[in-house]
């Protein structure tokens, strides 16, 4: 955040210096806005251009790039603005040197003057601001990661069960869900033994209340008449 603020301030100061430079003397008392843009490619002449045909137009375009780059926190746009300012200034120096034979710096105002220095300084400040800015690193990626759905692990990363404290994969690797614990705490069904069989106490036929006396007596088979046994009363 601090880097973006510092870089933005440097870039805006550089853009302001570049825009104000055409209103100052560039060479031999001639203002920068008195040079045509096409003269930078064809050669310097003594004609004066209109407001939209001078070097000022190129510097205004660079200032627009700077403002957009600062708002969007784009280092690329700010750096492009610096390249535009330095490129047009250096190209003017080359054409002016071809026109007069050489470029000089004199105290009487017959050579390079403060307008050129202001343009060069503005371009350098723009490049420096782009270098200081941190840009929008990770902002969009962070939002995309927050809205990205979680992807289940594939077959190359199966769930392991049971968890172990030792490094490395577990002994059991299966893509199936983890088994749930058995809540039954009693003996296993295989360990149960059959108990003693209970006696069937159900009522038998003929042993109801009406036949209770006869049902309780044992049944003695008829062995025939015994001559030595007295008769029953």
């Amino acid at each position: 955040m601090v880097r973006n603020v510092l870089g933005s301030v440097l870039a805006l100061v550089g853009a302001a210096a570049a825009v104000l430079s055409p209103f100052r003397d560039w060479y031999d008392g001639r203002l920068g806005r008195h040079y045509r843009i096409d003269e930078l490619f064809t050669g310097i002449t003594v004609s004066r251009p209109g407001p939209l045909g001078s070097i000022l137009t190129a510097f205004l375009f660079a200032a627009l790039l700077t403002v957009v780059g600062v708002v969007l926190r784009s280092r690329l746009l700010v750096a492009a603005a610096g390249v535009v300012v330095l490129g047009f200034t250096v190209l003017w120096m080359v054409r002016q040197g071809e026109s007069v034979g050489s470029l000089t710096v004199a105290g009487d105002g017959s050579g390079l003057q403060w307008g050129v220095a202001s343009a060069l300084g503005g371009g350098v400040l723009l490049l420096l601001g782009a270098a200081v800015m941190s840009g929008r690193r990770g902002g969009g990626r962070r939002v995309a990661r927050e809205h990205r759905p979680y992807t289940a692990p594939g077959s190359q990363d199966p769930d392991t069960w049971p968890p172990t404290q030792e490094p490395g994969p577990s002994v059991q690797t299966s893509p199936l869900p983890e088994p749930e614990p058995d809540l039954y705490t009693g003996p296993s069904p295989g360990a149960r033994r059959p108990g003693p069989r209970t006696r069937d106490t159900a009522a038998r036929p003929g042993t109801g209340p009406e036949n209770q006396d006869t049902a309780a007596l044992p049944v003695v088979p008829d062995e025939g008449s015994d001559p030595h046994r007295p008769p029953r009363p």
Side-chain angles (χ1 to χ4, degrees):
M1 182 65 180
V2 177
R3 293 184 56 184
N4 281 329
V5 172
L6 182 58
S8 300
V9 170
L10 292 176
L12 292 176
V13 172
V19 172
L20 293 177
S21 64
F23 295 94
R24 307 184 67 177
D25 295 339
W26 277 42
Y27 193 85
D28 198 13
R30 187 175 181 181
L31 300 178
R33 60 188 179 89
H34 292 166
Y35 293 94
R36 300 175 59 92
I37 293 181
D38 56 353
E39 292 180 354
L40 304 181
F41 304 96
T42 58
I44 302 298
T45 62
V46 295
S47 61
R48 295 187 177 184
L52 298 180
S54 63
I55 299 179
L56 176 61
T57 304
F59 289 169
L60 288 176
F61 176 73
L64 179 61
L65 285 180
T66 303
V67 173
V68 174
V70 169
V71 172
L72 299 179
R73 290 184 295 176
S74 174
R75 302 174 61 186
L76 181 61
L77 292 179
V78 176
V83 170
V84 169
V85 173
L86 288 178
F88 276 91
T89 304
V90 172
L91 186 58
W92 173 88
M93 294 174 66
V94 172
R95 295 303 181 186
Q96 183 66 31
E98 294 177 353
S99 177
V100 298
S102 63
L103 294 177
T104 59
V105 179
D108 57 354
S110 59
L112 294 174
Q113 297 184 3
W114 288 106
V116 180
S118 180
L120 292 176
V124 172
L125 286 177
L126 286 171
L127 294 180
L128 184 60
V132 172
M133 292 176 61
S134 60
R136 304 180 62 181
R137 294 183 303 175
R141 299 191 191 99
R142 189 180 304 110
V143 174
R145 283 196 299 266
E146 291 177 356
H147 292 82
R148 183 184 304 171
Y150 173 75
T151 55
S155 58
Q156 68 276 8
D157 296 322
D159 295 337
T160 58
W161 184 263
T164 59
Q165 300 296 333
E166 301 179 358
S170 176
V171 177
Q172 178 182 357
T173 57
S174 173
L176 299 178
E178 299 178 355
E180 298 181 357
D182 190 3
L183 300 180
Y184 178 73
T185 58
S188 61
R192 299 178 182 175
R193 297 180 179 179
R197 301 181 61 182
T198 58
R199 187 175 182 180
D200 188 9
T201 57
R204 296 180 180 180
T207 60
E210 65 278 4
N211 299 325
Q212 185 175 2
D213 296 337
T214 59
L217 298 176
V219 179
V220 179
D222 188 8
E223 297 179 355
S225 62
D226 189 358
H228 300 287
R229 179 180 299 177
R232 296 179 178 177

